[in-house]
Amino acid sequence: MSALPPSSARAVRPRQLVALMLAFVLAAGTGGVLVAGLVMPAVGAAGTVATASTDLFEDLPGELAIPQPSQQSVMLAADGSPIATFYLENRIVVGLDQISEHVQHAVVAVEDRRFYTHKGIDPEGMLRAAANNVAGGQLEGASTLTQQYVKNVLIEAGRVSGDEDAIKTATETSLGRKLREARLAVGLEEQVSKDDILEGYLNIAQFGPSVWGVEAASRHYFNTSAADLGIGQAALLAGITQSPARWDPVAHPDSAEKRRNEVLGDMLRERYITEQEYEEAVAVPVPDMLDVQNTPNGCNAAGIAAYFCEYVVKDLMNNEGWGKDRAERSQMLMRGGLTIHTTLDLARQQAAYDSVVASVPVNDPSGIKMAMSSVEPGTGKIVAMVQNTNYGEASETDPSAMKLNLNVGTSHGGGQGFQSGSSFKVFTLIEWLETGHSLGDLVNAKNKIFPRASWNISCAPEYKADYNTASNLEGIPTSSKMTVLDATRQSINLTFLDMANQMDMCDIVGNAASMGLKQGNGEPLTPNPAAVLGTNTVTPLDQANAFATLAAGGTYCTPVAVTKVTDRAGNEVPVPPSSCTKVLEPDVVNGVNYALQQVVTRGGTGKNAVLPGRPAAGKTGTANDETHAWFVGYTPQLSGAVWMGHSQGDKSMMYTTINGRYNRWVFGGSYPAQAWQRYMTRALEGVPVQSFAQPGSRQLYGDRVALPGVVGRSVDEARAILRDRGFDVTVADPVTSGSPAGTVAQTNPGPGVRVRPGSSVTLVPSSGPAPEPEPSPEPPAEAKPAKDKPAKDKPPAEAAPAAQPNSA
């Protein structure tokens, strides 16, 4: 900082300071109507006044605790790019070394030219102001920068605490307030350096109708930092603080220019600038100086990341480590100067948004909504969260705008969730493999009758019910029985109902819960029979995270949106906790992943989700009457869930024109799978291809046993042996063989072949050896040629065919 001009003020004793100040207050407080004769008696009574004031100064605390002023908090994406800013007062606190000396000089020149020589109050200024006020001149306040700083601190403390009475006390026109300010100003200067006081003032003062502190003001008016302000800019800002609304250069450029020039004159008088610098500065019109940049407040300005931003805010407001209640946590966000680091991947966020609106544009006439969440397996990090609506209130020009986050539940600004449809079948598949079954097991594909008594719901038997209304919605079985693998690939409803009917529904729903799935309102999933086909309402984020558990080999991680929060001093603030837990065994996961990879093939319901050159797994889902459609899929490195439907409720999407195309049917394998495929293709660009682990033979085929050898035994004996071992036995038509009639000639599969327990075995009985062929008749004697004289012109007799062996 350049040297200040020497002060002409003479030394004044404390008693005189107090007397002079009170004389000033009395004169100023009456609007200048007191005569000069009333001032002098007050000065003459300095001994009495000083005695009364001594107690005030002696009561001053030894060390004043000046709280940091409120300042804006900023939310950052994973790469450090800003997403949103939050504030009640738009302020950015910076050190004095980050503030141009021109600003420091301008403020001192116009507000308190003896700042560096007085001790908190300015007797000379008081006398001058008092004389001016008594003489009827323009009312002057004579507060020093230190007093103004104290006043601003008291006002700010009232704002932070929500104490309106404190704010009123700090701003009222009264002798008590002036005494308090003077007392605190003198005490402050005993504890704090002049530079620290000036720094505090420049950070706390209001520099416009919507900006506080010189750094925020510099960015707002000039699109630059306070460190880079020139002389004219500094003078313009210094002049605003006297009346932020009156001298606002945007609303009142002419008045602001007049005020700026006054400040420049003060700077010239105090020799902070030269005559040439003064002339150059006053020659620039105020409008030519401005490059106004507004600082949006809150998630409204986060664009396509607004719903993610709102999720983060709700996450922090739910964090008990941030304060005793939401009001205290909100104060921390809006005033605490926090830096909030998040997991959002901006490139993937853009890819997700582009993929969603390519399927269902914003404000599509169909009224159908689409939402997508994407999660990193093994960490729970939310890398993308989008929907095909603009964040805000619905309007005539933007009828689909909403603040409701379709990706999440009520705890984070969302709704009740949506019926998951067949995507929920994966949890039945998990339980099927966990209980020792295999993908190769044959299960009924056409049974529609499941009586109440057939259901096992150990944790909530009251949910047992007759379930006879289901049909095969997405796939069409080709036979009455089919393997679980085929049923998964084709999403056969009745097969999965038959599977679930053989197990405990509580265990099936428990698998989903262990992988983070719950209803959108936060309530546990309902384990009724219909849950098998996805009647519980869930959210895209929970779906993406649950399937990420499979991608991570069975490790479930709580969803994570915030990685770190630091306060204005760089200290870390507690963030919502994250944890990862092993919830599924690897062999089960490998089997499920294998089955769900078959879904994402040309022959599966997820054929539109195939990623060229990269293995992928997933599950389609369509709720009754096509009210909701899903595709939830993953690779080892990334998981994503796409939901599509009407946000207002369970309204059918059949016979609807979507994005200009008429649709009789809308399945999870159509629009949602296509959107997922577009997103994953872009999101995984440059990411190495990684395969899933191979499943074990038990998960593929079950526990194999060698088929007993029963060839040669009687059919009844062979049937009894195989049935005792649990095999399903059928008997084919007899065949000729070398075995005695009535015994088993062969089996299918053959003896010793390893098969699943309970497999079907066909017995082929023997009808005995084939009968010997009858000999050929001898030709008549006269027809026989003489042995020594063969007949001419007749061919030799054909040889008899060789005897054929018996069939084995």
Side-chain angles (χ1 to χ4, degrees):
M1 180 180 295
S2 58
L4 292 170
S7 173
S8 60
R10 60 184 175 86
V12 183
R13 292 189 299 273
R15 289 186 177 185
Q16 292 174 305
L17 292 179
V18 176
L20 291 171
M21 185 193 73
L22 289 178
F24 157 72
V25 171
L26 290 172
T30 58
V33 298
L34 291 179
V35 295
L38 292 178
V39 176
M40 294 312 295
V43 176
T48 303
V49 175
T51 300
S53 302
T54 299
D55 292 339
L56 290 176
F57 288 96
E58 287 180 349
D59 291 341
L60 194 69
E63 183 177 348
L64 292 175
I66 303 297
Q68 285 282 351
S70 302
Q71 64 174 307
Q72 62 178 232
S73 296
V74 61
M75 183 185 296
L76 306 177
D79 65 356
S81 302
I83 298 173
T85 305
F86 304 87
Y87 57 84
L88 290 177
E89 296 164 16
N90 183 18
R91 179 187 287 111
I92 303 170
V93 176
V94 294
L96 197 63
D97 60 347
Q98 297 173 274
I99 300 174
S100 165
E101 286 189 345
H102 297 309
V103 179
Q104 301 175 40
H105 295 161
V107 169
V108 170
V110 73
E111 295 290 345
D112 187 2
R113 62 191 179 93
R114 281 179 290 275
F115 172 67
Y116 283 99
T117 58
H118 65 60
K119 300 298 181 182
I121 56 177
D122 181 9
E124 184 176 336
M126 288 179 179
L127 286 174
R128 175 179 48 76
N132 178 77
N133 294 342
V134 170
Q138 184 176 357
L139 191 64
E140 295 184 26
S143 291
T144 63
L145 269 178
T146 309
Q147 288 175 272
Q148 293 181 51
Y149 176 46
V150 166
K151 178 181 177 180
N152 276 291
V153 167
L154 294 174
I155 294 171
E156 177 67 7
R159 287 178 179 147
V160 171
S161 63
D163 189 342
E164 294 296 329
D165 290 337
I167 297 173
K168 182 179 179 181
T169 301
T171 55
E172 65 186 2
T173 303
S174 69
L175 174 61
R177 177 177 73 83
K178 282 293 182 180
L179 284 172
R180 185 187 186 200
E181 284 180 9
R183 170 177 175 265
L184 292 174
V186 172
L188 182 62
E189 293 231 2
E190 291 177 354
Q191 304 294 328
V192 180
S193 71
K194 290 286 188 180
D195 281 354
D196 287 341
I197 292 171
L198 180 59
E199 176 185 305
Y201 174 81
L202 290 172
N203 278 302
I204 202 170
Q206 187 173 358
F207 283 87
S210 61
V211 286
W212 281 258
V214 69
E215 178 67 22
S218 300
R219 298 187 187 189
H220 173 66
Y221 289 116
F222 310 121
N223 192 22
T224 190
S225 67
D228 298 326
L229 290 175
I231 293 171
Q233 295 169 321
L236 183 65
L237 291 186
I240 293 174
T241 57
Q242 184 190 65
S243 179
R246 180 182 178 187
W247 305 125
D248 176 24
V250 176
H252 307 291
D254 292 339
S255 298
E257 186 169 315
K258 180 180 178 181
R259 176 66 174 165
R260 178 203 66 184
N261 294 345
E262 291 174 358
V263 177
L264 288 168
D266 290 338
M267 294 176 73
L268 177 63
R269 183 192 69 233
E270 297 299 319
R271 302 200 298 274
Y272 288 127
I273 59 175
T274 65
E275 186 72 35
Q276 181 179 350
E277 289 172 328
Y278 170 82
E279 295 295 341
E280 291 174 352
V282 297
V284 181
V286 163
D288 292 349
M289 300 172 63
L290 302 179
D291 182 8
V292 177
Q293 303 291 320
N294 294 313
T295 302
N297 190 7
C299 293
N300 287 337
I304 64 172
Y307 294 103
F308 174 83
C309 172
E310 192 63 32
Y311 175 88
V312 172
V313 171
K314 293 294 192 299
D315 210 34
L316 297 176
M317 291 301 100
N318 293 338
N319 180 16
E320 294 182 359
W322 268 42
K324 63 183 179 181
D325 53 32
R326 294 181 71 87
E328 190 172 299
R329 298 165 202 165
S330 179
Q331 285 276 9
M332 178 178 284
L333 174 66
M334 304 302 290
R335 296 186 180 275
L338 305 175
T339 301
I340 303 164
H341 301 264
T342 75
T343 59
L344 189 71
D345 184 318
L346 292 179
R348 287 175 170 175
Q349 177 78 358
Q350 188 67 56
Y353 180 79
D354 292 345
S355 299
V356 163
V357 298
S359 290
V360 188
V362 176
N363 289 317
D364 190 74
S366 66
I368 290 173
K369 307 297 188 297
M370 180 176 278
M372 176 190 291
S373 286
S374 182
V375 174
E376 181 180 81
T379 66
K381 290 181 179 179
I382 304 168
V383 299
M385 180 183 288
V386 299
Q387 60 194 59
N388 67 330
T389 63
N390 295 320
Y391 183 84
E393 302 294 339
S395 64
E396 187 174 337
T397 57
D398 193 359
S400 72
M402 61 172 62
K403 291 189 174 181
L404 183 73
N405 189 341
L406 301 176
N407 282 280
V408 300
T410 54
S411 65
H412 285 77
Q416 302 290 321
F418 312 101
Q419 290 189 0
S420 61
S422 292
S423 64
F424 200 86
K425 290 173 181 173
V426 67
F427 305 108
T428 296
L429 181 62
I430 291 170
E431 185 62 19
W432 184 257
L433 297 182
E434 283 186 334
T435 52
H437 297 87
S438 76
L439 299 176
D441 293 345
L442 290 171
V443 184
N444 197 305
K446 292 189 175 180
N447 177 38
K448 294 185 177 183
I449 300 174
F450 299 93
R452 180 184 187 280
S454 67
W455 291 100
N456 179 11
I457 311 178
S458 62
C459 60
E462 66 274 16
Y463 284 114
K464 288 185 177 183
D466 293 333
Y467 195 62
N468 307 323
T469 58
S471 61
N472 289 319
L473 183 64
E474 290 192 55
I476 300 174
T478 56
S479 61
S480 60
K481 283 193 174 185
M482 63 193 314
T483 65
V484 171
L485 184 62
D486 285 340
T488 303
R489 179 169 45 241
Q490 299 179 51
S491 195
I492 306 300
N493 287 347
L494 296 179
T495 298
F496 275 85
L497 281 171
D498 193 70
M499 293 161 61
N501 191 249
Q502 300 178 44
M503 300 180 292
D504 190 337
M505 279 299 305
C506 296
D507 294 333
I508 293 172
V509 170
N511 287 329
S514 72
M515 297 164 69
L517 216 58
K518 57 187 177 300
Q519 296 189 64
N521 60 8
E523 293 294 319
L525 302 170
T526 301
N528 60 342
V532 177
L533 303 183
T535 55
N536 279 289
T537 55
V538 296
T539 66
L541 176 59
D542 280 355
Q543 286 267 74
N545 204 39
F547 279 62
T549 304
L550 296 170
T555 297
Y556 166 75
C557 298
T558 54
V560 178
V562 179
T563 56
K564 185 174 71 171
V565 176
T566 55
D567 64 17
R568 70 186 82 208
N571 302 312
E572 289 202 26
V573 179
V575 299
S578 172
S579 61
C580 295
T581 308
K582 196 76 171 179
V583 296
L584 297 175
E585 293 301 319
D587 55 352
V588 171
V589 172
N590 294 342
V592 174
N593 288 344
Y594 178 81
L596 296 186
Q597 286 179 79
Q598 312 311 306
V599 173
V600 190
T601 62
R602 297 302 176 192
T605 57
K607 58 182 178 294
N608 287 323
V610 172
L611 301 178
R614 187 183 296 272
K619 187 68 190 75
T620 54
T622 309
N624 282 345
D625 300 323
E626 295 166 47
T627 53
H628 307 282
W630 293 80
F631 186 81
V632 191
Y634 55 97
T635 68
Q637 302 103 317
L638 192 62
S639 174
V642 181
W643 163 85
M644 176 181 180
H646 290 275
S647 59
Q648 303 91 336
D650 299 332
K651 181 180 177 181
S652 177
M653 293 183 285
M654 292 190 293
Y655 311 108
T656 303
T657 298
I658 303 171
N659 196 10
R661 189 179 76 187
Y662 178 76
N663 300 269
R664 183 179 180 185
W665 316 105
V666 177
F667 295 114
S670 57
Y671 290 93
Q674 293 165 2
W676 184 90
Q677 196 274 345
R678 282 192 295 267
Y679 164 68
M680 294 292 280
T681 299
R682 281 179 57 182
L684 293 172
E685 285 179 358
V687 177
V689 174
Q690 186 174 335
S691 299
F692 294 98
Q694 290 299 310
S697 61
R698 194 199 68 76
Q699 283 71 43
L700 288 175
Y701 311 113
D703 293 323
R704 299 281 181 118
V705 295
L707 190 69
V710 293
V711 173
R713 297 179 180 271
S714 69
V715 171
D716 290 341
E717 184 181 9
R719 182 190 290 116
I721 291 172
L722 293 174
R723 285 182 174 173
D724 286 344
R725 303 283 181 89
F727 293 101
D728 184 18
V729 181
T730 59
V731 179
D733 293 333
V735 297
T736 57
S737 75
S739 300
T743 63
V744 176
Q746 62 186 43
T747 61
N748 188 19
V753 174
R754 300 190 67 82
V755 295
R756 298 187 307 274
S759 297
S760 294
V761 181
T762 301
L763 300 179
V764 182
S766 173
S767 59
E772 292 290 335
E774 295 182 4
S776 299
E778 290 289 329
E782 60 271 20
K784 291 182 178 181
K787 291 183 179 180
D788 53 349
K789 294 181 179 180
K792 293 182 179 180
D793 302 327
K794 287 189 177 183
E798 293 184 2
Q804 299 297 314
N806 291 330
S807 175

